Amino acid sequence: MTQRIKPAPVRKSVKVAVGSERAFEVFTKDIGRWWPASHTLLKAPRQSLTIEPKIGGRWFERAVDGSECSLGHVLAWEPPHRVLLAWQIDGTWKFNAALVTEVEIRFIADGDATRVELEHRKLERLGEHAEAMRGTVDSPGGWTAVLQSYVDLIGR
């Protein structure tokens, strides 16, 4: 019998010098302002990146040529404490409606600041690509770089 090893979730956290309401708002409403332009699945330059603020809302990019690329959808919307996103990007970096891994972001008050905790989980659903995807999103250029862009925008 072959035993399949489940990849560990990727966990990252940052602290931002704003309250949880502002931290949540910048993360969700302003995601197009801070998400790195290099982190896109579009063929043309990105015009916007949007998380629709409701359960079932889309998480998608729109290019300057009008084309769109879905990244997933909203599974839980609990401002200003938590958002749970379906990450539906497969191991070939394409949207796959049948695939759902989860990215949960928690906003935890920490004095006058907020600790933002991110967990990307259920990576085993990527099958043969699970470990490679885990390595990519856990690398310095993965969630670490994405969250640093978020921190940089809030710090301006």
Side-chain angles (χ1 to χ4, degrees):
M1 180 171 142
T2 302
Q3 184 175 12
R4 189 171 207 167
I5 297 173
K6 182 177 172 181
V10 173
R11 294 186 176 102
K12 305 289 179 185
S13 77
V14 294
K15 189 172 181 178
V16 291
V18 297
S20 60
E21 288 185 20
R22 179 74 180 135
F24 184 92
E25 180 180 290
V26 171
F27 195 98
T28 57
K29 183 179 174 189
D30 295 337
I31 192 168
R33 293 180 57 210
W34 59 265
W35 190 274
S38 60
H39 289 54
T40 182
L41 300 178
L42 296 165
K43 304 286 186 228
R46 185 171 60 216
Q47 179 181 54
S48 62
L49 176 58
T50 303
I51 299 173
E52 295 176 337
K54 60 184 179 183
I55 294 173
R58 296 183 314 148
W59 176 24
F60 67 101
E61 299 179 290
R62 180 173 293 133
V64 293
D65 66 2
S67 63
E68 291 185 358
C69 180
S70 291
L71 302 175
H73 61 276
V74 177
L75 296 170
W77 184 260
E78 301 168 13
H81 306 292
R82 175 179 177 250
V83 63
L84 178 61
L85 301 170
W87 168 285
Q88 297 178 273
I89 308 304
D90 68 17
T92 63
W93 294 95
K94 293 186 175 142
F95 176 77
N96 180 341
L99 171 72
V100 175
T101 64
E102 295 179 353
V103 178
E104 180 175 41
I105 304 98
R106 293 188 172 275
F107 302 85
I108 302 159
D110 187 358
D112 292 337
T114 301
R115 189 175 68 250
V116 180
E117 296 180 348
L118 179 145
E119 181 179 282
H120 191 162
R121 61 187 178 225
K122 300 191 176 181
L123 297 166
E124 67 278 8
R125 293 178 176 174
L126 290 155
E128 67 182 282
H129 299 284
E131 286 298 333
M133 179 66 84
R134 187 191 186 288
T136 300
V137 298
D138 194 34
S139 73
W143 285 116
T144 299
V146 170
L147 288 176
Q148 186 58 53
S149 292
Y150 166 72
V151 170
D152 291 347
L153 179 70
I154 286 184
R156 287 186 208 153

PDB file of all heavy atoms in Angstrom, residues 1 7 15 23 32 43 63 72-73 82 94 118 126:
ATOM      1  N   MET A   1       0.843  -1.187   0.000  1.00  0.00           N
ATOM      2  CA  MET A   1       0.000   0.000   0.000  1.00  0.00           C
ATOM      3  C   MET A   1       0.882   1.241   0.000  1.00  0.00           C
ATOM      4  O   MET A   1       1.829   1.344   0.750  1.00  0.00           O
ATOM      5  CB  MET A   1      -0.893  -0.029   1.235  1.00  0.00           C
ATOM      6  CG  MET A   1      -1.798   1.149   1.340  1.00  0.00           C
ATOM      7  SD  MET A   1      -2.975   0.838   2.692  1.00  0.00           S
ATOM      8  CE  MET A   1      -3.080   2.435   3.358  1.00  0.00           C
ATOM      9  N   PRO A   7       0.890  17.567   2.066  1.00  0.00           N
ATOM     10  CA  PRO A   7       1.760  18.725   2.269  1.00  0.00           C
ATOM     11  C   PRO A   7       1.245  19.610   3.399  1.00  0.00           C
ATOM     12  O   PRO A   7       0.034  19.809   3.544  1.00  0.00           O
ATOM     13  CB  PRO A   7       1.695  19.485   0.947  1.00  0.00           C
ATOM     14  CG  PRO A   7       0.929  18.645   0.009  1.00  0.00           C
ATOM     15  CD  PRO A   7       0.227  17.583   0.788  1.00  0.00           C
ATOM     16  N   LYS A  15       2.893  42.032  10.726  1.00  0.00           N
ATOM     17  CA  LYS A  15       2.235  42.967  11.633  1.00  0.00           C
ATOM     18  C   LYS A  15       2.177  44.313  10.929  1.00  0.00           C
ATOM     19  O   LYS A  15       3.175  44.751  10.351  1.00  0.00           O
ATOM     20  CB  LYS A  15       3.026  43.063  12.933  1.00  0.00           C
ATOM     21  CG  LYS A  15       2.338  43.839  14.019  1.00  0.00           C
ATOM     22  CD  LYS A  15       3.124  43.707  15.315  1.00  0.00           C
ATOM     23  CE  LYS A  15       2.460  44.461  16.446  1.00  0.00           C
ATOM     24  NZ  LYS A  15       3.215  44.286  17.713  1.00  0.00           N
ATOM     25  N   ALA A  23      -6.699  47.311   8.307  1.00  0.00           N
ATOM     26  CA  ALA A  23      -5.903  46.207   7.767  1.00  0.00           C
ATOM     27  C   ALA A  23      -6.758  45.333   6.845  1.00  0.00           C
ATOM     28  O   ALA A  23      -6.316  44.953   5.754  1.00  0.00           O
ATOM     29  CB  ALA A  23      -5.308  45.380   8.904  1.00  0.00           C
ATOM     30  N   GLY A  32      -5.711  45.420  -5.366  1.00  0.00           N
ATOM     31  CA  GLY A  32      -5.117  45.795  -6.653  1.00  0.00           C
ATOM     32  C   GLY A  32      -4.008  46.825  -6.532  1.00  0.00           C
ATOM     33  O   GLY A  32      -3.198  46.983  -7.439  1.00  0.00           O
ATOM     34  N   LYS A  43      -2.224  37.718 -19.656  1.00  0.00           N
ATOM     35  CA  LYS A  43      -1.286  37.853 -20.780  1.00  0.00           C
ATOM     36  C   LYS A  43      -0.953  39.320 -21.039  1.00  0.00           C
ATOM     37  O   LYS A  43       0.111  39.633 -21.552  1.00  0.00           O
ATOM     38  CB  LYS A  43      -1.892  37.238 -22.049  1.00  0.00           C
ATOM     39  CG  LYS A  43      -2.311  35.795 -21.894  1.00  0.00           C
ATOM     40  CD  LYS A  43      -1.135  34.854 -21.860  1.00  0.00           C
ATOM     41  CE  LYS A  43      -1.606  33.425 -21.848  1.00  0.00           C
ATOM     42  NZ  LYS A  43      -0.990  32.599 -20.862  1.00  0.00           N
ATOM     43  N   ALA A  63      -7.299  42.634 -17.185  1.00  0.00           N
ATOM     44  CA  ALA A  63      -6.184  43.238 -17.914  1.00  0.00           C
ATOM     45  C   ALA A  63      -6.636  44.511 -18.628  1.00  0.00           C
ATOM     46  O   ALA A  63      -7.841  44.746 -18.800  1.00  0.00           O
ATOM     47  CB  ALA A  63      -5.628  42.244 -18.936  1.00  0.00           C
ATOM     48  N   GLY A  72     -10.234  32.603  -7.992  1.00  0.00           N
ATOM     49  CA  GLY A  72     -11.052  31.811  -7.087  1.00  0.00           C
ATOM     50  C   GLY A  72     -12.290  32.593  -6.693  1.00  0.00           C
ATOM     51  O   GLY A  72     -12.768  33.430  -7.449  1.00  0.00           O
ATOM     52  N   HIS A  73     -12.765  32.304  -5.481  1.00  0.00           N
ATOM     53  CA  HIS A  73     -13.934  33.016  -4.980  1.00  0.00           C
ATOM     54  C   HIS A  73     -13.879  33.092  -3.457  1.00  0.00           C
ATOM     55  O   HIS A  73     -13.046  32.449  -2.821  1.00  0.00           O
ATOM     56  CB  HIS A  73     -15.228  32.360  -5.477  1.00  0.00           C
ATOM     57  CG  HIS A  73     -15.393  30.946  -5.038  1.00  0.00           C
ATOM     58  ND1 HIS A  73     -14.822  29.882  -5.693  1.00  0.00           N
ATOM     59  CD2 HIS A  73     -16.049  30.420  -3.980  1.00  0.00           C
ATOM     60  CE1 HIS A  73     -15.131  28.763  -5.066  1.00  0.00           C
ATOM     61  NE2 HIS A  73     -15.877  29.051  -4.025  1.00  0.00           N
ATOM     62  N   ARG A  82     -11.697  38.200   9.365  1.00  0.00           N
ATOM     63  CA  ARG A  82     -11.305  37.011   8.598  1.00  0.00           C
ATOM     64  C   ARG A  82     -11.884  37.053   7.191  1.00  0.00           C
ATOM     65  O   ARG A  82     -13.027  37.491   7.002  1.00  0.00           O
ATOM     66  CB  ARG A  82     -11.851  35.784   9.331  1.00  0.00           C
ATOM     67  CG  ARG A  82     -11.656  34.473   8.664  1.00  0.00           C
ATOM     68  CD  ARG A  82     -12.253  33.358   9.553  1.00  0.00           C
ATOM     69  NE  ARG A  82     -12.156  32.086   8.920  1.00  0.00           N
ATOM     70  CZ  ARG A  82     -13.184  31.373   8.442  1.00  0.00           C
ATOM     71  NH1 ARG A  82     -14.408  31.811   8.569  1.00  0.00           N
ATOM     72  NH2 ARG A  82     -12.994  30.221   7.875  1.00  0.00           N
ATOM     73  N   LYS A  94      -2.912  27.714 -13.930  1.00  0.00           N
ATOM     74  CA  LYS A  94      -4.125  28.063 -14.670  1.00  0.00           C
ATOM     75  C   LYS A  94      -5.322  27.898 -13.751  1.00  0.00           C
ATOM     76  O   LYS A  94      -5.327  27.034 -12.869  1.00  0.00           O
ATOM     77  CB  LYS A  94      -4.274  27.163 -15.902  1.00  0.00           C
ATOM     78  CG  LYS A  94      -3.201  27.417 -16.926  1.00  0.00           C
ATOM     79  CD  LYS A  94      -3.440  26.624 -18.179  1.00  0.00           C
ATOM     80  CE  LYS A  94      -2.381  27.043 -19.180  1.00  0.00           C
ATOM     81  NZ  LYS A  94      -1.874  26.014 -19.985  1.00  0.00           N
ATOM     82  N   LEU A 118      -1.771  34.462   7.530  1.00  0.00           N
ATOM     83  CA  LEU A 118      -2.229  33.846   6.288  1.00  0.00           C
ATOM     84  C   LEU A 118      -1.907  32.355   6.335  1.00  0.00           C
ATOM     85  O   LEU A 118      -0.812  31.968   6.738  1.00  0.00           O
ATOM     86  CB  LEU A 118      -1.522  34.501   5.100  1.00  0.00           C
ATOM     87  CG  LEU A 118      -1.879  33.961   3.707  1.00  0.00           C
ATOM     88  CD1 LEU A 118      -1.857  35.090   2.688  1.00  0.00           C
ATOM     89  CD2 LEU A 118      -0.974  32.831   3.275  1.00  0.00           C
ATOM     90  N   LEU A 126      -3.883  19.502  -5.039  1.00  0.00           N
ATOM     91  CA  LEU A 126      -3.148  19.756  -6.277  1.00  0.00           C
ATOM     92  C   LEU A 126      -2.528  18.485  -6.845  1.00  0.00           C
ATOM     93  O   LEU A 126      -1.897  18.520  -7.901  1.00  0.00           O
ATOM     94  CB  LEU A 126      -2.064  20.809  -6.034  1.00  0.00           C
ATOM     95  CG  LEU A 126      -2.601  22.218  -5.799  1.00  0.00           C
ATOM     96  CD1 LEU A 126      -1.616  23.037  -4.996  1.00  0.00           C
ATOM     97  CD2 LEU A 126      -2.915  22.880  -7.122  1.00  0.00           C
TER      98      LEU A 126
END
